[in-house]
Amino acid sequence: IPGLYVSSDDGRSWKLTSQITTLRALFLHPGGDLFAGMNYVNNRLLVSKDKGRSWRDISKGFFGELISFIIDPENPQFAVAV
C-alpha cells in the first residue's frame, strides 16, 4: 500500500501512518512528532503535528514552484522555502 510509513524500532517494523502519496521531501523534527513535506502535485508545503496522520497546508503567501525547504530544529516555527 503506498503512503507514509513510520518505524519506532530502528526499522525492524513499519506502520502505515498516512496514505498520502504526493510528498517528495520530508523533515522530521528531532522530537519525533512534527513532520513537514513538500506536495509535488499542487506545489504546497504541508505540516503534520501528529506523526503524519493528518496534514495542514502552510503554503499561504508562497508563490512559484517549491523546490526545497528547511525547518529550524531548535525553532520549528521558523522555516525557509525556495
Side-chain angles (χ1 to χ4, degrees), residues 49-79:
K49 293 184 177 181
D50 58 6
K51 297 185 179 182
R53 287 186 285 278
S54 63
W55 295 88
R56 183 172 57 95
D57 184 350
I58 61 167
S59 306
K60 186 177 180 180
F62 186 81
F63 299 99
E65 183 180 354
L66 183 60
I67 298 169
S68 185
F69 73 96
I70 188 168
I71 296 176
D72 183 346
E74 299 293 321
N75 179 8
Q77 300 296 316
F78 182 76

Side-chain angles (χ1 to χ4, degrees), residues 23-43:
L23 296 178
R24 92 172 135 199
L26 279 176
F27 166 84
L28 171 61
H29 187 272
D33 290 331
L34 177 68
F35 290 2
M38 293 183 335
N39 182 320
Y40 70 85
V41 172
N42 58 11
N43 214 29

